Amino acid sequence: LESLRAPDGGLAWWRRMPHSERLTAEAVRALGPSAHGPAWREAWDALRASVRDATSDRATSALEAYLLSHRSEPEDARLAKIALGRAGGAAGADVESLGWTALAARALSERPSADASTTALLAALQARAARVPSGAGARCRGPVWFLCFARWGDDAGLARAARALLRLSPRDPRAREVAVAVAQRLAGKGPVESAWHWGTSQADTLALVAALAGGAPEADRLQVDVDGRPADLRDGRLTVPAGAREVGVHVAARAGRF
């Protein structure tokens, strides 16, 4: 990614173009601690400039507010509050932006804004989870192929929003319930089949499932059978005899289990 940066230090759609505010923000978010090294100093400067110059749209402003709110410099906190104001609060925001807005407001100790965005996020995810189409992934074909790609991006944003809700409300059973519903719907769609693409929601779906697993109680002991007969597990390993047709793995039913 360092080799793909634009001349001004951010990331662009093409190398010699000016940086894209959204691509730059997504890159420093995805890089995590690695983005705080000297190689990405100019990218952070480009991100700050976009806040000062008001060049970002509402959704990007929400992400910029989140990123800057988690840095230690006082100037970054000031810019984070400006970006948070431009993100526009809970009304009319998409689910992913609600997540970034709520996390930024919490980091900035803006309690009323954080609470309002978290409440709106929970309600929006509850409504959206049931509308995620089920079934296997499909190829993007025809003259409106770009709308198909947009739906994949929407799935990724939905998964990120559900992860944000788990971070905001780790003890609220409603938050876990809706995050499980989102994960089940997204995981049930299957892998995307395409000769080329801009990316899929798979990584974000896996991250959501990992977050759910990390917050779950200790796993129950597995009961395993081979062709309907109980099988021996030795140090968690199972030897499947030649000619076996079916292996069954059983865990106890429990509310909220994914």
Side-chain angles (χ1 to χ4, degrees):
L1 283 177
E2 289 177 19
S3 68
L4 297 174
R5 286 174 300 175
D8 57 8
L11 284 176
W13 287 103
W14 302 104
R15 192 171 297 181
R16 288 184 171 82
M17 290 177 66
H19 81 276
S20 158
E21 289 87 354
R22 183 70 186 200
L23 283 181
T24 302
E26 288 283 8
V28 297
R29 178 194 69 82
L31 285 167
S34 300
H36 297 284
W40 290 92
R41 187 174 296 123
E42 290 180 340
W44 283 101
D45 289 341
L47 192 148
R48 295 181 184 101
S50 69
V51 176
R52 294 191 186 100
D53 300 338
T55 56
S56 298
D57 59 23
R58 182 179 181 183
T60 304
S61 292
L63 180 54
E64 289 170 340
Y66 165 75
L67 292 167
L68 291 169
S69 70
H70 285 76
R71 290 180 66 87
S72 57
E73 294 85 346
E75 174 64 6
D76 285 340
R78 186 186 73 82
L79 291 173
K81 290 182 179 181
I82 293 174
L84 187 62
R86 292 200 185 113
D94 62 89
V95 288
E96 184 180 0
S97 296
L98 282 171
W100 299 133
T101 299
L103 290 168
R106 187 178 70 172
L108 295 167
S109 300
E110 301 276 349
R111 183 65 181 272
S113 177
D115 289 347
S117 294
T118 302
T119 300
L121 176 60
L122 176 62
L125 281 172
Q126 286 172 329
R128 285 287 306 281
R131 299 205 306 267
V132 177
S134 57
R139 294 180 184 273
C140 287
R141 299 171 176 169
V144 290
W145 56 269
F146 52 89
L147 295 179
C148 177
F149 281 114
R151 285 197 296 273
W152 293 345
D154 191 52
D155 288 349
L158 194 60
R160 287 194 286 265
R163 281 184 67 202
L165 183 63
L166 289 174
R167 290 175 60 186
L168 290 158
S169 305
R171 296 181 180 86
D172 188 342
R174 297 173 303 167
R176 182 172 176 83
E177 181 181 353
V178 73
V180 166
V182 169
Q184 286 177 324
R185 299 291 288 189
L186 293 179
K189 294 179 74 171
V192 170
E193 297 181 7
S194 178
W196 66 273
H197 49 70
W198 293 326
T200 77
S201 62
Q202 294 298 300
D204 292 291
T205 300
L206 285 169
L208 172 58
V209 172
L212 286 164
E218 185 178 350
D220 296 322
R221 181 176 176 83
L222 298 176
Q223 294 180 352
V224 183
D225 59 59
V226 176
D227 291 337
R229 294 187 296 273
D232 252 348
L233 282 176
R234 297 185 179 181
D235 297 325
R237 293 178 176 273
L238 170 69
T239 301
V240 181
R245 298 173 60 87
E246 184 178 67
V247 175
V249 181
H250 310 276
V251 293
R254 185 167 60 215
R257 165 165 279 146
F258 175 58

